């Protein structure tokens, strides 16, 4: 059963594949009907829906190409631990493969005020929204003042580096500093993780900048803490983080059977707490709306009464969380509970 809004999604075909690193590819997608893609802003993502082993699966990927060329969009996909769809695409993506692509969405975009000074921090494939933003700045010939800090393990893990360098040549107010956490060849950067002291060194006017963080949950959490320790106001820090639900945490739950009741359907399921609420409902043939399946979009927000464990709450504001809202894609029941769709 397909759950993406078919009226809003478009059927696309892979027209080109580029190998970015040993564990990362870019796929270029064209609409099958030959029309241009919907308008999007650099930094936004789309949901891809594809069928793997007879199951319809959906995941979100940032558009890494220029928003000015809508004949083709490029999505950059990195292998991740337990990343069923990403890993399948890295292994099986082929020219001509058809996929449904959802409407571009997301708030991780350039500020409307183009004179604002920015700090961008990325780890791994977290660089992709910034590549799209650099294209947008270059295409619009905007001279935005950006300090861009990248962190990767080794030089071979740099994604799109030649493209980044070419874009930065067009944008004299963009300064790029790369750090490697484990590398001996330092011709393209420095050694060590970003710490509060190192950030303050390379970016002395930090407090004049709007900060954007993109990468895995551990990186964005650490960098957020580093910035806050440097007295950067939390409202000046935008975060886009890729959560991978840690099913090991779920397995630490007691393997006792528990009842989950999903209202208003008045259905009850038994579970041992090892599936997210979203996976549990799907395995029982009941739909909870979802888009990103990684805690970003908020589409799967539900209200839970009863014990549960959540791995992330990025898409929920404090008031909703306090009121019992949880993200079904990130939440595991821990005992009998009643779930209401929001
Ligand atoms: S599906 Fe997007 S937050 Fe759960």
């Amino acid at each position: 059963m397909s759950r993406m809004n078919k009226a809003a999604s478009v059927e696309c075909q892979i027209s080109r594949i580029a190998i970015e690193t040993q564990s990362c590819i870019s796929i270029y997608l064209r609409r099958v009907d030959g029309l241009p893609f919907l308008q999007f802003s650099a930094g936004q993502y789309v949901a891809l829906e594809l069928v793997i082993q007879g199951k319809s699966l959906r995941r979100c990927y940032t558009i890494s190409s220029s928003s000015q060329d809508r004949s083709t969009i490029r999505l950059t996909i990195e292998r991740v631990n337990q990343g069923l769809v990403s890993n399948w695409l890295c292994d099986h993506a082929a020219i001509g493969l058809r996929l449904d692509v959802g409407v571009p969405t997301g708030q991780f975009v350039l500020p409307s005020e183009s004179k604002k000074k920015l700090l961008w921090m990325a780890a791994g494939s977290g660089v992709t929204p910034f590549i799209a933003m650099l294209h947008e700045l270059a295409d619009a010939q905007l001279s935005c003042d950006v300090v861009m800090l990248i962190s990767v393990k080794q030089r071979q893990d740099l994604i799109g580096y030649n493209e980044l360098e070419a874009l930065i040549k067009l944008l004299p107010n963009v300064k790029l500093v790369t750090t490697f956490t484990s590398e001996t060849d330092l011709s393209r950067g420095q050694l060590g993780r970003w710490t509060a002291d190192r950030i303050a060194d390379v970016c002395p006017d930090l407090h004049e900048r709007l900060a954007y963080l993109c990468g895995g949950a551990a990186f964005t959490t650490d960098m957020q803490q580093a910035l806050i320790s440097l007295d950067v106001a939390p409202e000046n820090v935008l975060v886009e983080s890729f959560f991978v639900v840690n099913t090991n945490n779920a397995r630490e739950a007691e393997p006792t059977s528990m009842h989950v009741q999903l209202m208003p359907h008045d259905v009850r399921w038994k579970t041992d707490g090892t599936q997210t609420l979203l996976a549990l409902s799907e395995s029982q043939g009941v739909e909870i709306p979802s888009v990103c399946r990684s805690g970003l979009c908020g589409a799967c927000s539900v209200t839970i009464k009863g014990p549960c464990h959540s791995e992330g709450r990025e898409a929920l504001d404090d008031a909703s969380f306090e009121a019992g809202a949880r993200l079904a894609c990130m939440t595991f029941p821990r005992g009998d509970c009643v779930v209401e769709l929001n």
Side-chain angles (χ1 to χ4, degrees):
M1 178 182 62
S2 172
R3 295 166 310 279
M4 191 183 282
N5 179 351
K6 290 289 177 190
S9 68
V10 289
E11 192 182 14
C12 296
Q13 207 165 22
I14 297 181
S15 59
R16 191 183 149 208
I17 299 169
I19 307 293
E20 299 287 356
T21 69
Q22 278 184 345
S23 59
C24 178
I25 61 167
S26 285
I27 57 174
Y28 293 75
L29 293 165
R30 284 181 180 277
R31 284 177 65 145
V32 168
D33 60 14
L35 294 173
F37 275 95
L38 290 174
Q39 275 194 327
F40 64 93
S41 298
Q44 289 192 308
Y45 59 83
V46 288
L48 282 191
E49 182 161 342
L50 64 165
V51 177
I52 300 176
Q53 293 172 352
K55 268 183 90 177
S56 181
L57 298 165
R58 190 171 7 162
R59 296 295 184 273
C60 291
Y61 297 98
T62 303
I63 304 171
S64 58
S65 52
S66 168
S67 56
Q68 299 302 302
D69 177 6
R70 291 188 287 121
S71 61
T72 309
I73 59 165
R74 178 181 62 187
L75 308 180
T76 301
I77 298 162
E78 190 174 32
R79 278 183 194 282
V80 284
N81 196 12
Q82 300 177 32
L84 180 59
V85 175
S86 294
N87 296 351
W88 188 92
L89 281 168
C90 285
D91 290 332
H92 300 286
I95 308 282
L97 179 71
R98 292 190 178 201
L99 310 159
D100 283 332
V101 179
V103 176
T105 188
Q107 306 298 322
F108 196 76
V109 296
L110 287 166
S112 47
E113 198 188 327
S114 64
K115 294 216 168 59
K116 199 128 195 157
K117 292 166 116 185
L118 308 176
L119 167 67
W120 293 347
M121 301 191 71
S125 59
V127 74
T128 53
F130 300 125
I131 293 178
M133 288 181 198
L134 288 174
H135 276 291
E136 193 157 298
L137 293 176
D139 290 341
Q141 299 186 328
L142 292 172
S143 64
C144 194
D145 182 329
V146 182
V147 173
M148 181 173 186
L149 309 181
I150 294 180
S151 174
V152 287
K153 196 167 176 196
Q154 291 180 303
R155 195 182 146 126
Q156 65 194 31
D157 303 319
L158 285 167
I159 294 170
Y161 198 79
N162 292 339
E163 185 176 341
L164 269 179
E165 283 194 322
L167 283 164
I168 285 168
K169 279 194 185 130
L170 303 172
L171 297 162
N173 290 328
V174 178
K175 171 180 159 188
L176 171 65
V177 186
T178 302
T179 193
F180 300 104
T181 55
S182 171
E183 178 59 278
T184 48
D185 174 359
L186 297 178
S187 56
R188 278 186 163 176
Q190 311 171 352
L191 184 64
R193 296 179 187 280
W194 288 117
T195 60
D197 286 349
R198 290 187 64 208
I199 296 168
D201 270 357
V202 295
C203 190
D205 56 356
L206 181 63
H207 298 96
E208 297 169 29
R209 293 178 183 271
L210 184 60
Y212 288 63
L213 311 179
C214 189
F219 172 79
T220 54
T221 304
D222 286 354
M223 293 306 104
Q224 220 169 349
Q225 283 170 357
L227 292 177
I228 286 167
S229 77
L230 292 165
D231 294 328
V232 174
E235 61 269 25
N236 285 337
V237 183
L238 305 184
V239 180
E240 189 91 307
S241 186
F242 316 127
F243 284 93
V244 176
V245 177
N246 186 350
T247 50
N248 290 331
N249 282 354
R251 290 195 183 101
E252 285 164 15
E254 286 293 307
T256 53
S257 158
M258 53 196 83
H259 275 110
V260 174
Q261 184 176 14
L262 181 69
M263 305 296 286
H265 301 287
D266 199 21
V267 286
R268 283 173 162 265
W269 306 310
K270 263 189 174 181
T271 175
D272 62 1
T274 58
Q275 281 181 297
T276 64
L277 279 168
L278 185 61
L280 178 63
S281 67
E282 288 172 345
S283 71
Q284 303 290 327
V286 176
E287 180 177 336
I288 293 178
S290 66
V291 177
C292 71
R293 309 177 71 88
S294 55
L296 289 176
C297 72
C300 65
S301 170
V302 292
T303 299
I304 302 180
K305 295 193 179 97
C308 60
H309 166 76
S310 275
E311 288 279 308
R313 48 161 293 196
E314 281 291 294
L316 293 175
D317 59 36
D318 290 345
S320 311
F321 191 78
E322 295 302 323
R326 296 291 183 272
L327 300 171
C329 67
M330 308 299 290
T331 299
F332 300 88
R334 283 284 198 252
D336 293 351
C337 53
V338 177
V339 178
E340 283 182 46
L341 299 178
N342 288 337

